[in-house]
Amino acid sequence: MTSPVSPRVRFAPSPSGYLHIGGARTALFNWLFARRHGGTFILRIEDTDQERSSPEMIDGILESLRWLGLDWDEGPGVEGPHAPYYQSQRLNRYRTMAERLVEERRAYYCYCQPEALREKREATRVKGGGLWKYDRTCCALTSVEIAERESLGLPRAIRFRVADGVSRFEDLVRGPIEFDRTNIEDFVLLRSDHQPTYHLSVVVDDIDMEVTHVIRGEDHISNTPKQQLLYEAFKAETPCFGHVPLILGTDKKRLSKRHGATSVTEYRRLGYVPEAMVNFLAFLGWSPGTNKELFSTEELTRDFSLENIGGGNALFNSEKLDWFSGQHIARLSTEILADRIEPLLREVGFWHKDLQGARRVWLLKIVDLFKTRARRLSDFVDQGRFFFTDDLEYDQKAVQKHLSPQGLSEHLTILRDALCALETFEKNDIENIFRGTAEVRGIKAATLIHATRVGLTGKASSPGLFDIMEILGKEQTLKRLERLDSFMQQAAKYQA
């Protein structure tokens, strides 16, 4: 495919829920395509279903796109030459365009009631006649019959008159596709309540907004021939279509809530970083053609192409997302990470204003300590909790495993006294004290290290103990070792 000249693409979510992972991936592919080719990315809100749409969901979608870094050139908050970008504000336009097709005999009024259509559909099913298709009852109405129905005020829809033939298009992802129109019924454009159907509104919008490329999920392939017919009827240029593979869970079924979190909002709340989410979403169907997996958004923009989107379904693997997140966290600067975990620290009551001032360096040391271990931003808070509070609970398995050696309490007392005598509380000096004490006491240094780790963190595993002790500082370290001693003495009395 030759590079398009200034393409115009759109992402048009329905605000009946938060931004789904599948929608986010579609938005990303459109955004990358536009940015790669110097085009325009349009955001349009398909909110004609007023019962299911809500301002809260719209705000959630906009915020999720901003979090991912997918800015739009035209759309809500930005506006543009083709405003409004909310379908609920364009209803008269759709009605006018539908009536135009009736006048040109490309569409007709349909007075069939829903109950009658359901009965015909059910009768066909009972007879084993396969999928029922509208029988064009109203297509054959004379002008007199139409006038009679109009005089009675009967509710009517508007149906498109599908001509015989074959619809063909060259899919940008899948290659040539064709449909026999005998399988397409005269589809509804405007319902009897004067609300437009998806096919009418999306085509009118794409024409008005001069969309040149439609990149969407493969579940829309069957919609394309109907929309082609509408472009032809409106005498408008048909855009290029590209249908990307669906996203499946590891069980090979379409991604849904049974697979876990499905919205961008949920993944943001869980502590994933947007750089990782964008990288991960790009690889759900697209490949750079090399073994490289870690990409910045700038690199994705440079290398993205529709030709490298595969035809097979993409598998959503949460373990792979964790890996991407961990890799991107390690790439971020310590200052940026500190700023990003601030809201999480505030949420659990660990934030203090001096962490932005006098104790900023202390906070950065903690971030650095966990930077290569964290998979999510929440890990900095969950795994580093012991730095921010003295309210520790000793893990029972850690207690049983590391606080049971004979004479441990006495060993720890000698260790604490030696640490107390240190003039500089730095990790190399601390390590020397541990190893020297172990040698004098005739025990392994690991015995002291594991027990001290439980006393300082409450856990059996953590980053390097000597790094932890240096960051905690001498006073806090000795205080926690005293608490550990009290705990061990109480436990000994209880066992006795």
Side-chain angles (χ1 to χ4, degrees), residues 6 33 40 60 143 221 225 257 260 279 296 313 419 432 456 476-477:
S6 192
F33 184 77
T40 301
S143 57
I221 289 178
K257 286 191 176 295
N279 195 164
S296 66
N313 290 317
L419 291 171
N432 289 335
L456 300 187
Q476 191 64 255
T477 296

Side-chain angles (χ1 to χ4, degrees), residues 8-10 168-172 202-203 206-207 210-216 224 227-228 230-232 236-243:
R8 291 179 59 84
V9 299
R10 47 78 170 174
R168 298 182 178 87
F169 68 97
E170 185 72 22
D171 194 285
L172 297 173
V202 74
V203 169
D206 284 349
I207 291 173
E210 302 178 89
V211 170
T212 62
H213 295 74
V214 175
I215 304 167
R216 56 189 180 182
T224 305
Q227 292 166 12
Q228 277 185 303
L230 285 174
Y231 283 107
E232 294 169 8
E237 185 174 350
T238 303
C240 299
F241 289 94
H243 294 90

Side-chain angles (χ1 to χ4, degrees), residues 331-479:
R331 285 178 157 201
L332 291 170
S333 75
T334 304
E335 277 284 0
I336 288 176
L337 286 171
D339 288 339
R340 291 192 185 182
I341 67 171
E342 179 181 337
L344 304 179
L345 291 172
R346 288 183 181 277
E347 189 176 322
V348 295
F350 289 166
W351 182 260
H352 300 284
K353 61 181 181 180
D354 59 356
L355 293 177
Q356 198 61 268
R359 299 179 70 203
R360 184 67 174 181
V361 173
W362 179 79
L363 175 62
L364 295 179
K365 288 181 179 179
I366 295 173
V367 173
D368 262 333
L369 189 62
F370 288 99
K371 191 173 177 181
T372 58
R373 298 169 63 95
R375 294 294 175 267
R376 310 176 190 179
L377 294 177
S378 52
D379 290 342
F380 288 95
V381 179
D382 297 338
Q383 296 179 20
R385 175 184 177 85
F386 59 85
F387 278 115
F388 302 98
T389 179
D390 291 329
D391 184 19
L392 300 179
E393 289 187 10
Y394 300 139
D395 179 79
Q396 287 304 304
K397 290 183 179 179
V399 169
Q400 293 170 10
K401 184 175 181 179
H402 298 304
L403 299 186
S404 57
Q406 189 72 28
L408 180 61
S409 181
E410 185 177 349
H411 298 323
L412 290 175
T413 298
I414 300 298
L415 173 68
R416 190 172 69 247
D417 291 342
L419 291 171
C420 186
L422 272 177
E423 293 185 7
T424 57
F425 208 72
E426 297 177 354
K427 62 181 182 180
N428 290 335
D429 298 325
I430 295 169
E431 182 176 1
N432 289 335
I433 290 295
F434 268 79
R435 302 202 182 282
T437 301
E439 184 177 352
V440 170
R441 302 295 295 178
I443 59 174
K444 293 181 179 179
T447 301
L448 296 175
I449 292 172
H450 293 318
T452 302
R453 178 178 282 110
V454 176
L456 300 187
T457 70
K459 303 175 183 178
S461 63
S462 71
L465 177 63
F466 308 129
D467 292 292
I468 289 174
M469 294 175 71
E470 182 178 313
I471 296 172
L472 275 175
K474 183 176 180 179
E475 181 181 348
Q476 191 64 255
T477 296
L478 294 176
K479 179 180 175 182

Side-chain angles (χ1 to χ4, degrees), residues 27-28 55 71 85 98 120 135 149-150 162 191 255 259 263 265 267 269 308 310 321 336 368 398-399 465 492 495:
L28 174 62
D71 56 327
Y85 294 93
K120 290 182 178 181
D135 56 11
R149 286 163 174 74
E150 288 292 310
V162 177
R191 300 186 183 92
L255 192 67
H259 297 106
S263 74
T265 301
Y267 282 99
R269 180 181 56 78
N308 283 354
L321 173 57
I336 288 176
D368 262 333
V399 169
L465 177 63
Q495 290 173 357

Side-chain angles (χ1 to χ4, degrees), residues 289-320:
T290 66
N291 293 327
K292 181 178 178 180
E293 291 186 284
L294 289 177
F295 282 77
S296 66
T297 301
E298 292 74 19
E299 290 170 325
L300 287 172
T301 302
R302 180 196 66 205
D303 294 350
F304 180 80
S305 67
L306 294 178
E307 291 91 336
N308 283 354
I309 295 177
N313 290 317
L315 294 183
F316 188 99
N317 186 326
S318 58
E319 292 181 1
K320 190 66 174 180

